[in-house]
Amino acid sequence: MRPTVHDIAAAAGVSLATVDRVLNQRAGVREVTRKRVEEAIREIGYIRDVAAANLAKGRVYPLVFILPTSDNSFMHGLHNEVRQAMIRSGTERTDIHIREVPAFDPQALVAELERLAEEKPAGVALVAADAPEVLAVVDRLVASGVPVVTLVSDLTGSSRCHYAGVDNIAAGRTAARLLGRFLGGKAGDITVLAGSMMVRDHRERLEGFTQVMSEEFPSLNLLSVLEGRDDPDMAYALISDALGSNDRIIGIYSLGAGNRGLIRALKARHQERTLTVIAHELTESTRGALTDGTIDAVLNQDAGHEVRSAIRVLKAKADGLGFIAAQERIRLDIFLKDNLP
Amino acid sequence: MRPTVHDIAAAAGVSLATVDRVLNQRAGVREVTRKRVEEAIREIGYIRDVAAANLAKGRVYPLVFILPTSDNSFMHGLHNEVRQAMIRSGTERTDIHIREVPAFDPQALVAELERLAEEKPAGVALVAADAPEVLAVVDRLVASGVPVVTLVSDLTGSSRCHYAGVDNIAAGRTAARLLGRFLGGKAGDITVLAGSMMVRDHRERLEGFTQVMSEEFPSLNLLSVLEGRDDPDMAYALISDALGSNDRIIGIYSLGAGNRGLIRALKARHQERTLTVIAHELTESTRGALTDGTIDAVLNQDAGHEVRSAIRVLKAKADGLGFIAAQERIRLDIFLKDNLP
DNA sequence: GACTTTTTGATTTACGTACATCAAATTCTG
DNA sequence: CAGAATTTGATGTACGTAAATCAAAAAGTC
């Protein structure tokens, strides 16, 4: 049987009440006594039974997810996963709220975060827009005792407790190597379709992609990046144009969302040429394109894992506990048509 | 506030004791009353507070992991992950025991499982050896109320509650496509190095690999499978031989363990030729080989995830609860040198 | 209708922790 | 050293469930 508060009391030669005061950092304990109790805790290896404690406290974890208002499939999926988590709130002692803010809008994010500094939830998860103001508010929130986790896109240099998302530089590098190897030494042009260079995750993917391309596949020539704002129609127009005006293009890397448009453009030119295409985020449309051969590989981050991980980490942090790092690492999924879930 | 047993009692117009009798399927309740209580439970949407219940019961989950005695890195890793879980036992209310049985030995497995049928643990996880006797005992165990989860290698057709491992046919297919695409239309021979065709996971990987190879890469010629018993020295000998006697080999798929030997053989011939190599399981040696370019891709299953998933599922099953299917799906990790963890 | 048997109710204790209250003991202050 | 302030102890209640006991009520039997 693992030791309980009673065992600490006995070991330290004090009463249960005193142990409680020490454990819950209440006032009214002399420094010497406090030391003695803490020593006893360490010695007998007491670990608080979080379940019992939560029961006694009637604790729930009020968590806030700040998500961008965005109509691409990935963000829809993310929203949906948070909603799934809300359904499980009853059994998980969470009380989850979603706050929507306009995408690519640091000011709105800051305003929302400042509001949260008042509310003092048990934890905050946000899709970070990469701006110094945001970093500053996040730091303030964390300093005031509210654990913050970044989701999908990180906020490097901030004091956020955890990042529940993939390593986007690694993702870009992986995409480059896959594309390069799939093209097997051929020479030609490569087009990159991004959402916006204003968001960190897209910038990082491009960075990684460019690194490996220039280092290891000199026969492939990177064209200037197309920015499709994660919008299907814009993506369609950009890719159609590019393919129409340049017949040296042999590969495409779509590192953002809005792949419906990309796929539409590719299908329109299907008979004319063979392209090697790598895209991000597994959605209904990319899955279809992967199956029928329009796309060769899809890199994915599992939104469900990200959300569940964020929740686990925030709960742990709220209790001042650690977490299993390996479990919370969000992996880059690589899907070919053969290993689709 | 979520409803409690008191709310059920009030709603059904019975006493707390009766509710308890119904909830814990104790005798002494008339059929009509039982129905009424069950109706009330459904109506107010009562969900048992597992944490409180476990606290009251002082419940621990005695779990048994049956693992093969095997000295390859992957199995070592698996052992280690179970040991990590044992360390967490205190906080997770588990009481985990490891039983080692000889590898590739259905009889030993059966004997162990029969012993467990007596002990009645809360759950059993095993690396299944694929034999009808094993299937029969597993079915009996499950029928007697002990949830069983297969680990790494499945037992198709059995009534095991869950399989915590990857889809090995998909893994083989993925390996074939990666190899085929990386070779970019070249013609030549492909060597497959397996552990043993007696274990299901290896058979399945080969099956998937062969499917895609023959369907989609006709210019690549599959040589007959080499069986290295997951042993480094044997693998070294087999691969050295093969490369020495056949200079048409341009690709290798190592679908089992014992890759240390493979890598040694490859490095010995490094200057002579370029091979495209795909291996399974990320270990220290495959990681090194991936980094230095000896291996082109590693397919991996995360042993830590498998163990944690098995535990979560067994606990849930022991309580008669469901689990989040998406969370428990073990994914096939594809590692290139760029996305190593 | 008296009897047995079964079903139900009322009540209590327990799990490990949190938290509050009040009294007793100790320390500090002047 | 008295008096005030602080520290500590003793005790009880609560959280939601499990499990046990014993009495009371209802149902079934002859």
Side-chain angles (χ1 to χ4, degrees), chain B residues 313-326:
Chain B
V313 171
L314 287 176
K315 284 173 73 172
K317 286 291 170 191
D319 290 333
L321 300 175
F323 51 88
I324 306 173

Side-chain angles (χ1 to χ4, degrees), chain A residues 13-332:
Chain A
V14 297
S15 78
L16 221 58
T18 303
V19 173
D20 180 71
R21 287 178 186 118
V22 173
L23 276 176
N24 296 293
Q25 19 222 13
R26 271 187 265 279
V29 183
R30 242 187 324 164
E31 201 46 37
V32 262
T33 322
R34 180 174 301 263
K35 280 256 150 52
R36 190 145 44 93
V37 173
E38 274 162 356
E39 180 58 30
I41 291 175
R42 209 147 354 98
E43 229 165 62
I44 64 176
Y46 168 82
I47 307 155
R48 179 197 249 106
D49 183 331
V50 186
N54 283 344
L55 178 61
K57 278 195 283 211
R59 179 174 180 66
V60 287
Y61 300 82
L63 303 179
V64 177
F65 276 75
I66 308 180
L67 305 177
T69 311
S70 181
D71 68 340
N72 67 65
S73 306
F74 176 73
M75 281 302 164
H76 269 144
L78 194 67
H79 262 83
N80 189 49
E81 291 294 344
V82 178
R83 265 180 253 114
Q84 294 295 111
M86 289 165 90
I87 293 171
R88 293 192 301 271
S89 278
T91 42
E92 297 180 352
R93 294 186 170 277
T94 52
D95 176 26
I96 299 172
H97 292 266
I98 297 181
R99 300 284 165 81
E100 289 205 30
V101 297
F104 311 127
D105 183 347
Q107 290 317 316
L109 240 180
V110 169
E112 191 56 52
L113 285 166
E114 268 164 354
R115 210 164 309 145
L116 286 176
E118 304 300 304
E119 292 182 30
K120 292 247 163 224
V124 175
L126 77 157
V127 179
D130 189 30
E133 314 90 276
V134 178
L135 196 148
V137 216
V138 165
D139 279 351
R140 253 186 294 143
L141 248 186
V142 173
S144 79
V146 179
V148 175
V149 163
T150 49
L151 209 60
V152 180
S153 191
D154 197 10
L155 202 54
T156 324
S158 74
S159 49
R160 91 281 184 283
C161 310
H162 184 65
Y163 164 52
V166 297
D167 177 341
N168 286 301
I169 293 184
R173 294 182 61 96
T174 304
R177 188 169 312 270
L178 277 176
L179 193 55
R181 294 293 310 252
F182 280 4
L183 286 170
K186 279 205 282 279
D189 288 352
I190 304 293
T191 284
V192 175
L193 174 66
S196 159
M197 283 301 100
M198 309 253 342
V199 283
R200 177 166 210 104
D201 47 349
H202 289 198
R203 275 209 316 278
E204 289 184 341
R205 286 174 192 173
L206 180 63
E207 184 186 335
F209 188 78
T210 314
Q211 283 169 9
V212 171
M213 271 293 159
S214 60
E215 286 163 17
E216 311 208 23
F217 301 98
S219 70
L220 298 174
N221 170 45
L222 230 65
L223 302 175
S224 64
V225 177
L226 308 176
E227 293 193 40
R229 307 281 308 168
D230 290 354
D231 178 73
D233 294 330
M234 230 172 134
Y236 175 79
L238 287 169
I239 294 295
S240 293
D241 260 27
L243 292 178
S245 63
N246 177 348
D247 59 4
R248 295 201 64 239
I249 296 176
I250 57 174
I252 299 179
Y253 175 38
S254 166
L255 57 75
N259 284 317
R260 276 199 305 280
L262 163 72
I263 292 164
R264 197 146 39 91
L266 290 172
K267 290 217 165 131
R269 312 205 155 245
H270 188 241
Q271 48 278 67
E272 301 167 34
R273 55 208 292 183
T274 33
L275 290 164
T276 299
V277 181
I278 297 188
H280 269 265
E281 316 312 354
L282 189 67
T283 62
E284 222 172 299
S285 53
T286 54
R287 169 190 285 270
L290 199 50
T291 308
D292 69 22
T294 309
I295 292 183
D296 299 273
V298 167
L299 305 188
N300 187 61
Q301 52 187 324
D302 190 313
H305 281 207
E306 293 179 334
V307 170
R308 289 187 292 267
S309 173
I311 293 171
R312 275 194 301 267
V313 171
L314 286 177
K315 284 173 75 172
K317 285 292 170 190
D319 289 333
L321 301 174
F323 50 89
I324 306 172
Q327 177 167 267
E328 307 308 344
R329 195 182 151 262
I330 302 297
R331 291 174 299 172
L332 177 68

Side-chain angles (χ1 to χ4, degrees), chain B residues 15 18 21 29-30 33 55-56:
Chain B
S15 78
T18 304
R21 287 177 187 119
V29 183
R30 243 188 322 165
T33 321
L55 178 61

Side-chain angles (χ1 to χ4, degrees), chain B residues 87-107:
Chain B
I87 293 171
R88 293 191 302 271
S89 278
T91 43
E92 296 181 351
R93 294 185 169 277
T94 52
D95 176 25
I96 299 173
H97 292 265
I98 297 181
R99 301 285 164 80
E100 289 205 29
V101 296
F104 311 127
D105 184 347
Q107 290 316 316

